Amino acid sequence: MPILTLILILLVILILAAGFYLATRLVLPRRHSVEETYRIEVENGNLEVAEYDAWPKREMVIQSPQGYPLFGIYFPAQDSKKTLLLAHGFTYGLYGSVKYMPMFRRRGFNI
């Protein structure tokens, strides 16, 4: 087998392996658990535990049209008619959005 053919075969195998790896990373990215996002946000100073614990809140579960539970926490503001829905991304959990809440709470939003 000529050396050029062997090099081409190895190159094709390398390209296919790299494509498979990248496609897998795109379709199945690393996800962080709720507990892990809480720890990360506290460590990075984005979540003030005492302030968060002092906010009035109510846990909610809504069934999706596909039948699985959607978990959320409602943070009411006194006498407010303004409501903001904060949603986290696919790979990062609830506590990644908490760092934005003080700004909206100061402006009187239910979240």
Side-chain angles (χ1 to χ4, degrees), residues 61-77:
V61 178
I62 301 169
Q63 290 298 115
S64 75
Q66 292 78 22
Y68 54 86
L70 300 172
F71 172 77
I73 303 175
Y74 176 65
F75 297 86

Side-chain angles (χ1 to χ4, degrees), residues 1-10 13:
M1 185 182 287
I3 192 78
L4 184 59
T5 305
L6 184 59
I7 291 173
L8 286 174
I9 290 172
L10 290 174
I13 291 172

Side-chain angles (χ1 to χ4, degrees), residues 20-31 90-91:
F20 178 77
Y21 171 77
L22 293 173
T24 301
R25 294 289 305 219
L26 181 65
V27 174
L28 301 170
R30 182 177 184 277
R31 296 183 190 179
F90 176 63
T91 62

Side-chain angles (χ1 to χ4, degrees), residues 5-77:
T5 305
L6 184 59
I7 291 173
L8 286 174
I9 290 172
L10 290 174
L11 186 61
V12 167
I13 291 172
L14 180 65
I15 290 170
L16 289 173
F20 178 77
Y21 171 77
L22 293 173
T24 301
R25 294 289 305 219
L26 181 65
V27 174
L28 301 170
R30 182 177 184 277
R31 296 183 190 179
H32 299 276
S33 69
V34 172
E35 295 81 13
E36 189 177 7
T37 60
Y38 180 84
R39 181 187 53 75
I40 291 169
E41 294 302 320
V42 169
E43 287 176 1
N44 291 338
N46 296 326
L47 174 60
E48 296 294 329
V49 176
E51 180 183 26
Y52 177 80
D53 289 343
W55 293 338
K57 60 182 110 5
R58 185 176 71 219
E59 292 186 358
M60 304 175 71
V61 178
I62 301 169
Q63 290 298 115
S64 75
Q66 292 78 22
Y68 54 86
L70 300 172
F71 172 77
I73 303 175
Y74 176 65
F75 297 86

